[in-house]
Amino acid sequence: EVQLVESGGGLVQPGGSLRLSCAASGFTFKSYNMKWVRQAPGKGLEWISYISSSGTTIYYADSVKGRFTISRDNAQNSLYLEMNSLRDEDTAVYYCVRGGNYYVYWGQGTLVTVSS
Amino acid sequence: EIVMTQSPATLSVSPGEGATLSCRASQSVSSSLAWYQQKPGQAPRLLIYGASTRATGVPARFSGTGSGTEFTLTISSLQSEDFAIYYCQQYNNWPPWTFGQGTRVEIK
């Protein structure tokens, strides 16, 4: 069974940093592209970052470019999102998602709250 | 960036009735269009990909049509479990992969 389990969310002050992790199991992690998608409270879905299966190709949404860094450890079956210079508008549930284009498998999400 | 626009924002439907949700792309996305269903407190669930192909386990009452810039998700006879928010998403021109703002289907 495919499982994606996010962790690392929490309350952080504006300007602060946080690192999200996603533990993958039930499939050959190193063979799949991965993404982070977020959802602000009561709002829609927003793709924010993509990493290819090998980690060599990375994309970011303009809203997070220069502040967030996606990475992966294929030996540990893990995906990461390093978030710096956090803003109020980064408050959201962050989902780890398998796949390049459309998404069958989602994690349960981890809530990041940016507030003073 | 391709902008996806969904209509209506909210659709009020009685159980057993049908529902038609629309999604428009700001430029052609061919058939690279997916639909998701999201219930409160849950991650989205993939319903349709390739504009018209149902994902595994999705009931036949869900159907998707369209290509280019105009797409439709039809639910033929709403069941209680179908009241949720529905999102469309394009994957033809990326990055970014973009979602519509969602249509809420509520009980009338």
Side-chain angles (χ1 to χ4, degrees), chain A residues 57-77:
Chain A
T57 300
I58 286 173
Y59 300 117
Y60 297 100
D62 288 345
S63 58
V64 306
K65 197 174 295 182
R67 301 187 298 122
F68 290 12
T69 302
I70 192 172
S71 62
R72 65 190 296 161
D73 184 337
N74 285 343
Q76 297 294 321
N77 294 333

Side-chain angles (χ1 to χ4, degrees), chain B residues 33-54:
Chain B
L33 191 285
W35 288 96
Y36 300 85
Q37 175 193 68
Q38 189 178 33
K39 297 178 182 179
Q42 296 184 15
R45 171 197 181 196
L46 177 69
L47 296 177
I48 301 284
Y49 61 93
S52 61
T53 303
R54 277 189 300 276

Side-chain angles (χ1 to χ4, degrees), chain A residues 35 37 39 43-47 50 59 95 100-104 106-108, chain B residues 34 36 38 42-46 49 87 89 91 94-97 99-101:
Chain A
K35 291 179 177 174
V37 173
Q39 186 170 35
K43 302 298 184 182
L45 301 164
E46 178 189 19
W47 163 80
Y50 160 97
Y59 300 117
Y95 293 103
N101 285 319
Y102 53 86
Y103 321 122
V104 177
W106 299 66
Q108 85 287 352
Chain B
Y36 300 85
Q38 189 178 33
Q42 296 184 15
R45 171 197 181 196
L46 177 69
Y49 61 93
Y87 295 95
Q89 176 235 330
Y91 53 93
W94 48 264
W97 292 261
F99 293 88
Q101 80 280 18

